[in-house]
Amino acid sequence: MRDAEEFDALYAACAGRVVGHVYALTGNRAEAEDAVAEAFMRAWQRWRTVRETDSPEAWVRRVASRIAVSSWRKAFNRVRAHRRAAVDQGVPGLNEDHVALLQALQQLSANERRAVVLHHLNDLSVAEVAAEMQAPVGTVKTYLARGRRAMAGLLTDAHQEETSHG
């Protein structure tokens, strides 16, 4: 019974955060939810091992991210079509700033996007991001600097277009 209670507590504590993380990486809520559901299923199947890790949440987040990236590689055109449909339909609760942020994130390289999302949206330290990405701290700092610089330009351009049309 202890296993189920611990697992349920992990799910309740972090499922929303992990979906938010994967959504920021992919730009598609349905894909994010599917990847996170699969990651939690795998966590439950390996619960005795997962619960002993330093951070079961990081384990689930890493697996969900990998599942989402694998989905990209397997069905790139399908995902692009879903993204277009999701942008066209809109997501309840998202304002123009959120949409601009998600669109800017999609312009970054996969590593830059992952570093930016982990550091700025999940509030992980640079060292924690490096551990999760299995990359040197200096490399993560480079991803963050490049990602921030690119996003600043993209978000500034989007804001200028918005104000010039308004």
Side-chain angles (χ1 to χ4, degrees), residues 26-144:
T26 65
N28 184 292
R29 182 146 183 106
E31 290 283 331
E33 289 170 347
D34 289 349
V36 172
E38 175 71 20
F40 271 106
M41 185 186 75
R42 291 181 188 181
W44 176 245
Q45 291 169 340
R46 299 165 180 79
W47 182 241
R48 292 183 190 276
T49 302
V50 172
R51 79 170 182 217
E52 299 300 323
T53 64
D54 289 339
S55 173
E57 180 177 347
W59 188 96
V60 171
R61 187 173 51 241
R62 219 173 6 257
V63 170
S65 297
R66 288 180 185 147
I67 290 167
V69 168
S70 176
S71 293
W72 289 345
R73 290 181 183 139
K74 290 178 184 171
F76 184 73
N77 290 331
R78 181 178 56 85
V79 172
R80 281 182 33 195
H82 283 300
R83 284 191 186 142
R84 276 191 227 111
V87 170
D88 292 344
Q89 293 172 1
V91 177
L94 284 185
N95 62 32
E96 291 177 16
D97 291 340
H98 287 110
V99 172
L101 176 64
L102 289 171
Q103 288 174 338
L105 282 168
Q106 296 308 306
Q107 301 303 309
L108 303 180
S109 74
N111 285 329
E112 290 167 355
R113 181 172 50 248
R114 189 168 179 213
V116 167
V117 168
L118 287 169
H119 184 66
H120 293 289
L121 300 181
N122 288 318
D123 295 323
L124 297 185
S125 70
V126 172
E128 290 169 325
V129 173
E132 184 146 336
M133 291 183 72
Q134 298 178 333
V137 169
T139 301
V140 169
K141 287 180 179 178
T142 299
Y143 291 151
L144 287 169

Side-chain angles (χ1 to χ4, degrees), residues 15-32:
R17 281 193 303 267
V18 177
V19 168
H21 166 80
V22 178
Y23 176 48
L25 289 175
T26 65
N28 184 292
R29 182 146 183 106
E31 290 283 331

Side-chain angles (χ1 to χ4, degrees), residues 5-18:
E5 290 169 0
E6 287 178 350
F7 182 82
D8 289 348
L10 172 70
Y11 183 87
C14 72
R17 281 193 303 267
V18 177

